[in-house]
Each structure stands twice: as structure tokens, then as C-alpha cells.
Amino acid sequence: MSTSATPSVLFVCVHNAGRSQMAAAFVTHLGGTRVQVRSAGSAPAGTVNPAVVEALAEVGIDISVETPKVLTTEAVQSSDVVITTGAATPAPYFPGKRYLDWQLEDPAGQGVAAVRPIRDEIERRIRGLLAELGIEPAA
């Protein structure tokens, strides 16, 4: 972890259109300004998955203006924790970073009913991550 009082987390998936977007949104929603958060993809899609946008809106989180972003070396270097959210998601390795691999079902091509359990699992994991970082989640 860095010496900064505010930890930083990067979520990475291939398209940055589903899982990593949900994870970043939950960190922002529950951690507020107490955590710096980024998300990126190794091969970003053109837009965020509409079923993901809808599933998050159901729990009061609006990501309708988010766009997939490309994974950069700088994003990894400036993050304390790097979390991949799906199989075969490459992220550059730098000593001193904490790397986690969350195997989560891919919401691509699925409707909102199939995305809800993925969303709920991501929220559960984010709450655990915030607790590990010593950050009390917002209500």
C-alpha cells in the first residue's frame, strides 16, 4: 500500500463494460472520497453493457455516463490494489502492489435478471474489500 491516506483501487476486465464498471461504481458509492477508484479494460468495448447500467440503477447507482477505458501501465502503477474481474484479464505486474483475481460470471450478452446476482456478488466483495482497507461503507 502507498503512504497516501487514501488507498487506490483499479478494477480490470477485458471490455471494461460490465464487472469492472460495477465494482468501481460500488467502491465510489460505498467508499466515497475515502478511496480512489479506477476501472479499465485490456480491449475496451464501445459502451457499458446496458443491462449492467439498469441493474445498478435498481440499487440507486447511476453509471449511465460511464464509458469503457483502456488499461494503461500508469493506472496500474498509481494503484495500491489491482483487481482483475474475469479470466484471461492481463494486468502489468509491479512489485509492492496487491493483486487480487475475482472470478465473476461475465454479464456480456445477458439480460438484467442474469446480471443481478453478479451485481450482488460484486457488492458483497466490495464491502469486504472496504473493510480490509479500514473503510466503513456508507449506508
Side-chain angles (χ1 to χ4, degrees):
M1 298 292 280
S2 73
T3 57
S4 168
T6 305
S8 59
V9 181
L10 169 64
F11 293 97
V12 180
C13 67
V14 174
H15 299 296
N16 190 224
R19 297 165 286 195
S20 57
Q21 290 281 347
M22 285 191 279
F26 272 114
V27 169
T28 298
H29 182 72
L30 298 170
T33 60
R34 297 168 291 161
V35 182
Q36 293 178 347
V37 65
R38 298 172 187 83
S39 70
S42 55
T47 61
V48 174
N49 180 332
V52 166
V53 174
E54 184 178 343
L56 285 175
E58 290 177 350
V59 295
I61 301 173
D62 180 9
I63 65 163
S64 61
V65 299
E66 293 296 326
T67 57
K69 295 163 240 12
V70 69
L71 177 63
T72 65
T73 301
E74 294 77 22
V76 177
Q77 286 177 316
S78 60
S79 299
D80 298 311
V81 182
V82 179
I83 301 173
T84 55
T85 60
T89 307
Y93 178 81
F94 293 98
K97 307 289 177 197
R98 180 176 176 202
Y99 289 85
L100 299 172
D101 182 32
W102 291 356
Q103 291 299 308
L104 297 162
E105 187 178 345
D106 189 350
Q110 300 193 55
V112 71
V115 173
R116 287 183 190 117
I118 302 166
R119 173 201 66 200
D120 295 345
E121 175 62 15
I122 289 171
E123 179 183 9
R124 183 189 71 73
R125 291 182 188 211
I126 293 302
R127 288 182 179 277
L129 175 66
L130 291 175
E132 290 174 21
L133 295 173
I135 297 168
E136 183 70 28

